[in-house]
Amino acid sequence: MPLLRNVMLQTNLGLAILLLLTACSPEPRWVSVPNGKAGEFIDVSSIATAGPVRLASIKIVFTTPTSGDASQGNRRVVEIVVRQAFNCAENKQRNEAMTFHYANGVVFDVPADQVPSHDWKPVESDDGKPELEFTCRQKTE
């Protein structure tokens, strides 16, 4: 009987921890990028701060067919999610992670060593400026 009781206690403890972890991971809250390109969204629940650097998940949704990615068998890309780092003090950005979503339901996470733009690059008015400004203005905890 004591063995059964220990198993039940461990099971209940495991379920409680799982529920707490689930409650602590917020659902994505995608908002349009102010002054950004059509189809660009930022997950405001993903914005995090590390010194002058802000991290945010950015989603680009393609409403019209785009060219396929030959390495993925020419499947049509319907959205890309990029984990972007912004250095608010230096006005620079870099990609941290990238995921492609295809029309046929396939999801492809780009290997870390193949993510483009590992180095910090200056933010240009037509490349990253609205995203940087929005992300750097957000209050984080």
Side-chain angles (χ1 to χ4, degrees):
M1 198 65 152
L3 178 62
L4 180 59
R5 183 175 165 194
N6 284 343
V7 169
M8 289 178 64
L9 285 173
Q10 288 176 350
T11 301
N12 287 339
L13 180 61
L15 287 173
I17 290 171
L18 181 62
L19 286 172
L20 282 172
L21 289 173
T22 303
C24 294
S25 58
E27 287 291 317
R29 287 192 3 234
W30 297 105
V31 298
S32 293
V33 176
N35 303 317
K37 298 172 186 162
E40 285 188 344
F41 303 90
I42 292 179
D43 175 10
V44 293
S45 69
S46 74
I47 298 173
T49 302
V53 175
R54 294 283 176 101
L55 297 167
S57 293
I58 298 173
K59 176 168 57 173
I60 303 164
V61 177
F62 300 102
T63 55
T64 57
T66 62
S67 60
D69 178 349
S71 68
Q72 292 299 311
N74 289 326
R75 292 174 268 208
R76 187 172 69 84
V77 176
V78 292
E79 74 179 42
I80 300 171
V81 178
V82 179
R83 186 69 173 160
Q84 192 81 24
F86 297 100
N87 186 319
C88 301
E90 295 181 13
N91 212 37
K92 292 184 177 182
Q93 65 180 342
R94 75 174 177 205
N95 295 326
E96 301 278 317
M98 186 177 287
T99 303
F100 287 84
H101 296 258
Y102 294 88
N104 64 1
V106 170
V107 176
F108 175 70
D109 291 318
V110 177
D113 63 338
Q114 295 177 19
V115 173
S117 184
H118 283 295
D119 297 327
W120 289 101
K121 67 177 186 173
V123 172
E124 304 292 334
S125 60
D126 63 341
D127 180 24
K129 190 164 180 66
E131 296 88 345
L132 175 131
E133 289 176 346
F134 179 84
T135 303
C136 291
R137 278 196 312 263
Q138 299 300 305
K139 293 184 178 10
T140 60
E141 296 176 15

